Amino acid sequence: DSGVTQTPKHLITATGQRVTLRCSPRSGDLSVYWYQQSLDQGLQFLIQYYNGEERAKGNILERFSAQQFPDLHSELNLSSLELGDSALYFCASSVGGGRAPGELFFGEGSRLTVL
Amino acid sequence: GENVEQHPSTLSVQEGDSAVIKCTYSDSASNYFPWYKQELGKRPQLIIDIRSNVGEKKDQRIAVTLNKTAKHFSLHITETQPEDSAVYFCAASILGGTSYGKLTFGQGTILTVHP
């Protein structure tokens, strides 16, 4: 158990819908990262928050948004869903958002299926 | 931004043989290079990492080497066992910089160890 909690584990929805994925980082970790894992795309970085503020942005679609709340949990919102958004979405947390030791701790992921 | 290339995409070995996975990175400012192992349906987990001030690091049957000049690093697994079968990802990051520890991953290598 990494200490990072993601909900829901599985989600099936239809095209055009909106979903929210939730992540609770390890106790004490200030940084949260979201990654998308599709079959042919590896682990693609979406966005990072550090202590409530956005710190880095990857190839995140405009239909996607995220935030980190004062209690440090984070939510990833996916809207106007398309078939191609079907993927495993991982949340990860780290101690200091870039300071040593650098290890990211991943949650078990949320598997999104868009039909 | 950083780009990490990983080869091979698939690797099949016999139990007891060695396995080598290679990665190259593009950003000379990257100074932290972790390797993650992802078993089927599971989350990625850190197995070894190396910093740019070190050329080689070993942990039992796994080792990582880094060539900063050539901007490439490799994972070496000796005496492979069936339980080593998984997807392995290399990654690069800048610790202490403004990217706040964001990891850029390679595309992954599917390692299969045949008994």
Side-chain angles (χ1 to χ4, degrees):
Chain A
D1 183 7
S2 67
V4 179
T5 304
Q6 287 188 249
T7 57
K9 286 187 169 52
H10 301 276
L11 190 55
I12 301 174
T13 188
T15 54
Q17 296 299 305
R18 171 190 169 96
V19 298
T20 297
L21 309 180
R22 194 179 192 278
C23 170
S24 293
R26 292 188 322 155
S27 177
D29 284 0
L30 299 178
S31 216
V32 169
Y33 309 76
W34 285 98
Y35 284 84
Q36 178 192 54
Q37 186 173 39
S38 305
L39 279 177
D40 59 347
Q41 292 293 321
L43 287 158
Q44 297 293 315
F45 171 71
L46 296 179
I47 198 163
Q48 177 202 0
Y49 283 84
Y50 177 76
N51 202 21
E53 294 185 8
E54 181 184 306
R55 286 300 188 189
K57 215 167 187 177
N59 295 325
I60 187 168
L61 299 172
E62 287 191 8
R63 300 184 285 107
F64 296 0
S65 65
Q67 56 184 324
Q68 186 179 30
F69 295 86
D71 66 352
L72 301 179
H73 91 271
S74 178
E75 292 181 357
L76 179 66
N77 301 295
L78 315 175
S79 62
S80 302
L81 286 169
E82 301 175 359
L83 297 178
D85 297 328
S86 295
L88 190 53
Y89 291 84
F90 281 106
C91 169
S93 72
S94 70
V95 173
R99 296 195 296 272
E103 179 176 359
L104 265 59
F105 294 86
F106 284 81
E108 297 294 335
S110 292
R111 181 168 296 282
L112 173 65
T113 302
V114 182
L115 301 175
Chain B
E2 176 66 277
N3 182 52
V4 178
E5 297 286 336
Q6 182 172 347
H7 299 280
S9 56
T10 60
L11 181 58
S12 183
V13 300
Q14 289 296 126
E15 183 176 0
D17 288 349
S18 295
V20 180
I21 303 171
K22 299 181 179 182
C23 290
T24 60
Y25 61 98
S26 61
D27 190 346
S28 56
S30 290
N31 58 11
Y32 175 65
F33 307 93
W35 287 86
Y36 281 76
K37 175 183 180 181
Q38 185 179 25
E39 297 177 354
L40 190 62
K42 300 289 183 63
R43 61 187 171 87
Q45 296 191 67
L46 178 73
I47 56 171
I48 194 167
D49 56 13
I50 191 168
R51 304 218 184 172
S52 59
N53 59 347
V54 175
E56 182 176 0
K57 183 176 179 180
K58 287 184 179 180
D59 183 4
Q60 299 182 336
R61 293 187 299 108
I62 60 173
V64 58
T65 59
L66 171 66
N67 183 326
K68 284 191 298 182
T69 303
K71 287 192 280 190
H72 69 69
F73 56 113
S74 300
L75 177 71
H76 304 253
I77 306 175
T78 59
E79 300 173 23
T80 54
Q81 302 167 2
E83 50 266 39
D84 294 330
S85 296
V87 182
Y88 291 81
F89 291 96
C90 63
S93 175
I94 303 173
L95 292 184
T98 56
S99 65
Y100 287 82
K102 176 195 80 173
L103 289 179
T104 300
F105 285 91
Q107 290 300 95
T109 296
I110 303 172
L111 173 64
T112 304
V113 181
H114 298 282

